[in-house]
Amino acid sequence: MLSRLGFGTSGVMGAALTTSGRLKLLDTAWDAGIRHFDTAPLYGFGEAESLLGPFLRRRRDTITITTKFGLLPASVHPLARPLIPLARGVNRRLLPPLRRGVARLASRRSAAPGPQASSLLVPPPGAGAADPVAAPPAGRQPGVPSPADQRSAGPDTPYTPANLRQQLEQSLRKLQCDCIDYYLLHEAQAAYLQPPFLDTLDQLVAEGKIRHYGIGGGRWSSRCIVERFPQHPWVLQIPDTHTNDDTAWFAEHSAGPLFTHSALRLGREGAQQELGALLGPWAALRQRPVEDPALVAELLMALALSRNARGCVLFSSGHGDRIRANAALLQTLSTLDPPAQRWLQAAASASADAAAPHP
Ligand SMILES: NC(=O)c1ccc[n+]([C@@H]2O[C@H](COP(=O)([O-])OP(=O)(O)OC[C@H]3O[C@@H](n4cnc5c(N)ncnc54)[C@H](OP(=O)(O)O)[C@@H]3O)[C@@H](O)[C@H]2O)c1
């Protein structure tokens, strides 16, 4: 059964914790009822998959898992490894103000801040790129190849059948399992995908090494791939915030659950005005003061769950209480009365009356 919330391991690896502290966060997510876990060879400088391995082995029959192909961490010299936690700490302090500055600049340049503003944000340490191609270049339609799309992937491409098999075997070893539920191409572009590589994906399904394959990348590049290779059953994983209005397209075209992510990270720094207009009604609905600092994250999660109503919303956190709060929200949403549910749906689909006060 599909877990409505999925726990991403990029944040766990970014948190300044010991291995047992990180494992405790995975247990917290499990105890809170989360049954989908998302990882990638890239996360945690290559350590996230190994962290999940023993956790997964004990619960394999009750958990679904996503890992990815294509992006690998830069190799770190053994002598520099002790510096990784220090680098994470510095990044965590420096990147948020930098991201806020870039978002402010982007929204000043754009009369109506939208996904373009989010696409300028810098990804956090350990995560994949935020959404490098969120919006189509001017004048282009999805599926219509640009000169860049038509270029071959080049001699150094990792997108070869041999690499695919080798990286998958490595992930299976680290994750201590014999089959991956969702194997996604990490930040792929249509130009990378040649017939032998695509055939190998189908063979891996037939061999029982993966259950589904798909794309974990930007909205625009994912859409290009789906439209260019419609014969393949792509499962989609995309960034999704309250500023996006085409999420339904991705839900319709995902050959499995749609996975959305980064609603909190990008949403908090995205269109603040729209968010501000929704916060009052949400506070009233929750019967809490609008100044309550927990309300923003709660609202962003509620909007994300409502927008991706039949799929799985991924989040990450290095804090147990936040993991529990995010999971508890599911229960809260199921108890909203019909007018409140209608308001949330309107707000989530960015409809014109979304900012109207809660009845
Ligand atoms: N396919 C791709 O290219 C791709 C790209 C990005 C992400 N992903 C996947 O999606 C997962 C989630 O994405 P993400 O980490 O970018 O986005 P996210 O979950 O929207 O944002 C994470 C941030 O939200 C904070 N947070 C979480 N719960 C909170 C709460 N209740 N209150 C306040 N703050 C809260 C976390 O802070 P604390 O840690 O301090 O709690 C962290 O800074 C990733 O781990 C990864 O698995 C995939």
Side-chain angles (χ1 to χ4, degrees):
M1 190 176 142
L2 176 70
S3 184
R4 288 280 286 126
L5 280 177
F7 190 62
T9 51
S10 63
V12 171
M13 298 311 295
L17 292 167
T18 59
T19 300
S20 71
R22 292 186 178 128
L23 287 169
K24 215 166 146 194
L25 290 177
L26 298 180
D27 283 334
T28 303
W30 162 268
D31 291 341
I34 293 170
R35 294 293 180 267
H36 181 76
F37 290 77
D38 182 272
T39 190
L42 182 70
Y43 298 164
F45 292 92
E47 290 166 21
E49 288 187 324
S50 307
L51 180 84
L52 261 182
F55 170 83
L56 184 64
R57 199 182 51 214
R58 281 180 278 131
R59 303 170 173 88
R60 187 65 191 99
D61 294 343
T62 50
I63 281 180
T64 53
I65 184 146
T66 292
T67 193
K68 307 184 189 95
F69 167 84
L71 294 184
L72 293 174
S75 58
V76 180
H77 191 281
L79 289 177
R81 288 208 153 252
L83 297 176
I84 290 176
L86 188 66
R88 280 183 188 134
V90 170
N91 276 342
R92 285 169 78 79
R93 271 190 291 278
L94 287 186
L95 282 181
L98 181 61
R99 283 202 291 267
R100 276 195 294 278
V102 174
R104 261 199 302 275
L105 193 64
S107 60
R108 235 182 271 146
R109 285 177 175 207
S110 155
Q116 291 86 344
S118 302
S119 72
L120 293 173
L121 302 180
V122 181
D131 189 14
V133 267
R140 287 208 28 219
Q141 295 297 316
V144 178
S146 70
D149 284 336
Q150 286 165 331
R151 231 179 19 222
S152 86
D156 298 332
T157 178
Y159 280 70
T160 65
N163 266 344
L164 179 58
R165 286 187 176 279
Q166 193 204 343
Q167 273 196 37
L168 174 62
E169 286 305 329
Q170 195 165 8
S171 290
L172 288 169
R173 247 191 329 275
K174 287 187 169 184
L175 288 163
Q176 303 188 21
C177 61
D178 50 18
C179 177
I180 304 293
D181 298 294
Y182 300 98
Y183 197 53
L184 307 185
L185 309 181
H186 208 169
E187 303 293 349
Q189 305 282 321
Y192 304 167
L193 307 178
Q194 304 296 326
F197 181 87
L198 293 168
D199 291 346
T200 309
L201 285 170
D202 288 324
Q203 282 161 19
L204 291 170
V205 174
E207 291 165 22
K209 300 247 175 197
I210 58 179
R211 292 206 170 87
H212 307 273
Y213 61 84
I215 312 152
R219 296 170 83 95
W220 168 250
S221 45
S222 301
R223 194 165 170 157
C224 282
I225 292 173
V226 169
E227 299 205 340
R228 186 129 167 236
F229 303 103
Q231 68 278 28
H232 287 273
W234 303 109
V235 170
L236 303 179
Q237 184 190 103
I238 51 162
D240 186 49
T241 79
H242 63 289
T243 60
N244 296 122
D245 58 6
D246 60 345
T247 305
W249 187 93
F250 293 94
E252 197 184 313
H253 287 83
S254 185
L258 172 66
F259 293 93
T260 52
H261 62 78
S262 302
L264 295 165
R265 181 165 62 83
L266 298 177
R268 270 187 316 216
E269 295 157 2
Q272 290 296 341
Q273 262 179 346
E274 290 170 27
L275 196 57
L278 298 173
L279 203 55
W282 178 252
L285 196 153
R286 298 288 286 130
Q287 300 182 333
R288 301 219 304 260
V290 74
E291 298 77 25
D292 183 338
L295 280 176
V296 173
E298 214 184 61
L299 171 61
L300 287 169
M301 280 303 283
L303 293 172
L305 284 160
S306 189
R307 249 186 339 266
N308 185 7
R310 291 198 304 277
C312 176
V313 175
L314 305 173
F315 74 93
S316 72
S317 175
H319 296 94
D321 53 345
R322 290 179 171 176
I323 296 170
R324 281 187 286 272
N326 294 345
L329 184 66
L330 274 178
Q331 172 66 19
T332 303
L333 294 183
S334 69
T335 59
L336 290 184
D337 60 23
Q341 293 203 6
R342 278 197 295 277
W343 175 83
L344 188 60
Q345 272 160 15
S349 59
S351 77
D353 61 350
H358 176 242

